[in-house]
Amino acid sequence: MSATRSNSAPTADDPGFGLYVHWPFCLAKCPYCDFNSHVRSSVDHERWRAALLREIDHYAGDTGGRRLTSIFFGGGTPSLMPPATVAAVIERAARHWRFAEDVEITLEANPTSVEASKFAGFHAAGVNRVSLGVQALNDADLRFLGRQHSAVEAKAAVDIARRQFGRYTFDLIYARPTQTIDAWRAELAEALALAGDHLSVYQLTIEPETVFGAAYRRGELPVADEDTAATLFEVTQDLLADAGLPAYEISNHARAGAESRHNLTYWRYGDYVGIGPGAHGRITVGGGKFATRQHRAPEAWLAAVERTGHATQQRDSVEPEERFAEMLMMGLRTTDGVRRSRVITETGRTIEAAVDSNRLDRMIGGGFLVLDDEGLRATAAGRQRLNAVLGGLLT
Ligand SMILES: C[S@@+](CC[C@H](N)C(=O)[O-])C[C@H]1O[C@@H](n2cnc3c(N)ncnc32)[C@H](O)[C@@H]1O
Ligand code: SF4
């Protein structure tokens, strides 16, 4: 990598600047997933590589020269990318932006043996953190979730990741139909034995436009009731905190200093460039903040980039009031919450001036929010029902 490097881990006051790269292809579509992911019998890797590089060039026009603190390859299944494409993207980013000394470069990987065999190539390309979609540690649940890997394969992939990369993390999905609290406790204990210093634990969401969504509407998919889901959440919080991996966000747990820097940039409302199909971005240009979104369908995205150099479908100015709402939506997910100084920088107003005091008092009185010298935070109870808290505060 030829970039000039500078030391600059993001802080609560400086949220950093990231690059998100979306790879939209998967080997199979999981029945729960409504991410922008598609199954294709073949992908023209030369064209895709060239197009990703062109879209980076395009966004560098507005943001080039800034200090880059993270790159995140998400999907879809970025571990299906050729390592040469990952290397080319990192190389091109290094031409346009100054890499922070400790720049975090994460790649999402599915834990099949084929993909694990590519880890050395990704490492050589510059990736220094992997995030594995393990989802469950028993084969029956992995089959139910439509996964292409077994529990043994997943554990082997975690092992290879541990040896290959400085940092690794994996995802689990809980509140699966029929999952008991005891079974989840046992599975979490097993996960902790495999975990490094970061773990993501998501409650199963039934998304309407998925196979699970349709099964649910037909009454064929039992889901965890609210009480069971709440208990599973609490058990997760306690068990992981006791093991030294406290929550720093609703679904994310880490030892201090091991948090995902890229995700912290989103949650602290920092800027990020989003390239690839359906990618979102938030960039500050000439004092204005812009929300960007790329064409979602892979073929439409590719055609637009090849025609015009980018596939931006939307680029909207984000006005101060909307910025405040976005800051709360992102920031209240984290245990740190929303900093006073950041609200003033982004909106020109204090928290008290930006929010209705009666609504705020109600949420504080209910034990869902805390406001102090540092800023506004959600309590654990508030984070557990964040949508309701935001609804009560903002509408
Ligand atoms: C972009 S996806 C996964 C990356 C990779 N393709 C994989 O599946 O391993 C990111 C994570 O979101 C979580 N996820 C996706 N859909 C979900 C849903 N409906 N409910 C809960 N978690 C979900 C999964 O844990 C998944 O690993
Ligand atoms: S969960 Fe991952 S592998 Fe499954 S369809 Fe979604 S993005 Fe693809």
Side-chain angles (χ1 to χ4, degrees):
M1 250 175 282
S2 55
T4 318
R5 286 164 178 261
S6 66
N7 197 349
S8 62
T11 63
D13 289 325
D14 172 9
F17 170 59
L19 169 66
Y20 175 77
V21 181
H22 191 81
W23 184 257
F25 304 116
C26 293
L27 288 180
K29 184 80 186 177
C30 302
Y32 55 84
C33 177
D34 80 342
F35 281 80
N36 188 25
S37 56
H38 307 265
V39 178
R40 297 286 184 267
S41 52
S42 73
V43 173
D44 185 335
H45 287 295
E46 297 260 318
R47 285 178 70 192
W48 274 82
R49 176 159 63 233
L52 289 171
L53 300 183
R54 280 192 76 184
E55 216 169 42
I56 290 179
D57 292 345
H58 169 74
Y59 274 109
D62 280 331
T63 59
R66 288 186 65 172
R67 190 179 51 190
L68 192 73
T69 43
S70 62
I71 302 178
F72 194 99
F73 292 89
T77 306
S79 48
L80 296 176
M81 292 171 83
T85 300
V86 173
V89 165
I90 295 171
E91 192 77 51
R92 186 60 61 94
R95 272 196 222 167
H96 292 302
W97 296 293
R98 288 177 293 121
F99 277 23
E101 180 70 36
D102 41 7
V103 63
E104 174 189 274
I105 305 182
T106 305
L107 180 129
E108 278 183 344
N110 283 26
T112 70
S113 52
V114 176
E115 287 157 283
S117 72
K118 293 163 73 180
F119 285 1
F122 294 132
H123 185 251
V127 171
N128 55 24
R129 182 174 183 270
V130 283
S131 173
L132 291 155
V134 169
Q135 321 305 3
L137 288 170
N138 70 78
D139 287 344
D141 285 359
L142 285 171
R143 267 194 302 277
F144 167 75
L145 292 170
R147 302 295 292 178
Q148 304 293 304
H149 61 267
S150 66
V152 166
E153 251 185 315
K155 287 176 198 168
V158 170
D159 218 47
I160 298 171
R162 177 190 301 115
R163 281 184 271 122
Q164 189 74 69
F165 298 95
R167 300 171 64 194
Y168 71 98
T169 180
F170 58 91
D171 298 345
L172 293 173
I173 295 181
Y174 72 96
R176 303 164 211 147
T178 74
Q179 183 178 42
T180 65
I181 288 157
D182 281 348
W184 176 233
R185 265 184 204 284
E187 195 167 334
L188 265 185
E190 203 181 345
L192 277 168
L194 295 170
D197 50 17
H198 191 286
L199 201 57
S200 301
V201 188
Y202 300 102
Q203 182 175 325
L204 177 63
T205 310
I206 306 300
E207 304 288 355
E209 300 298 319
T210 61
V211 170
F212 274 7
Y216 178 70
R217 282 193 296 279
R218 291 194 305 269
E220 290 167 9
L221 188 74
V223 295
D225 60 65
E226 237 175 75
D227 285 350
T228 310
T231 309
L232 287 166
F233 179 82
E234 280 150 22
V235 163
T236 306
Q237 304 298 302
D238 293 349
L239 227 137
L240 295 185
D242 288 350
L245 293 177
Y248 68 99
E249 190 265 349
I250 298 172
S251 309
N252 284 277
H253 297 252
R255 283 184 214 292
E259 299 87 358
S260 157
R261 192 167 301 166
H262 187 81
N263 285 338
L264 280 179
T265 291
Y266 297 155
W267 296 324
R268 290 175 176 169
Y269 207 51
D271 274 13
Y272 56 98
V273 166
I275 66 149
H280 290 245
R282 287 286 180 285
I283 52 174
T284 305
V285 183
K289 188 117 174 167
F290 295 89
T292 63
R293 186 164 55 80
Q294 308 312 105
H295 276 290
R296 196 173 153 87
E299 290 71 24
W301 177 87
L302 187 62
V305 177
E306 289 181 339
R307 217 173 36 245
T308 64
H310 67 92
T312 309
Q313 192 174 31
Q314 238 177 302
R315 182 185 167 113
D316 298 329
S317 170
V318 190
E319 298 308 316
E321 195 158 325
E322 209 181 327
R323 288 190 210 181
F324 179 69
E326 288 193 339
M327 284 190 98
L328 291 195
M329 280 185 240
M330 301 308 278
L332 293 180
R333 301 178 64 90
T334 66
T335 48
D336 281 354
V338 178
R339 284 277 181 135
R340 286 185 178 277
S341 55
R342 292 280 303 129
V343 174
I344 291 170
T345 308
E346 288 289 343
T347 71
R349 290 194 296 174
T350 61
I351 293 173
E352 284 85 350
V355 80
D356 178 281
S357 62
N358 288 330
R359 289 168 181 268
L360 184 59
D361 288 348
R362 254 201 312 277
M363 289 297 156
I364 294 172
F368 302 118
L369 290 176
V370 174
L371 180 66
D372 62 17
D373 289 350
E374 297 281 300
L376 184 65
R377 288 186 301 286
T379 60
R383 286 196 300 280
Q384 206 180 332
R385 43 184 79 69
L386 189 57
N387 285 343
V389 172
L390 288 167
L393 208 54
L394 293 172
T395 49

